Amino acid sequence: AVSRHRDEGAGYATKKPPGPPRTFNWQEVDLVSGKGLQRAMPPGGVVLHLAGAVGTAKGEPLEVTFARTLLQAAKQANIAHLVYIS
């Protein structure tokens, strides 16, 4: 899971009965610059793009910038599937 801001004190975990707890590894990522994105990519895995924002960056809507940055990183990381919820 990624976010623009990482909360080091957050111990996010969920329980999926009846199995063991599932923990999530949070990564700090900037979808405008791409900083931290490659480190967060699951090689050959699946990426869910659920981020949204209002505004502009680089002369285009943030939604377009986010998608473009994520698609470039996914291609470099050989991501099998990218799901984009619009």
Side-chain angles (χ1 to χ4, degrees), residues 14-83:
T14 61
K15 282 199 172 188
K16 181 181 177 186
R22 300 174 85 191
T23 55
F24 296 94
N25 183 13
W26 286 90
Q27 297 287 330
E28 187 174 346
V29 169
D30 182 335
L31 286 175
V32 173
S33 70
K35 180 182 175 190
L37 196 49
Q38 284 300 317
R39 181 178 62 248
M41 286 286 162
V46 176
V47 172
L48 300 176
H49 175 40
L50 309 172
V54 177
T56 60
K58 300 181 180 181
E60 62 187 5
L62 280 172
E63 290 287 338
V64 174
T65 302
F66 288 177
R68 183 183 324 281
T69 304
L70 187 58
L71 285 168
Q72 289 171 349
K75 184 177 180 181
Q76 291 175 354
N78 295 318
I79 296 300
H81 300 282
L82 189 141
V83 179

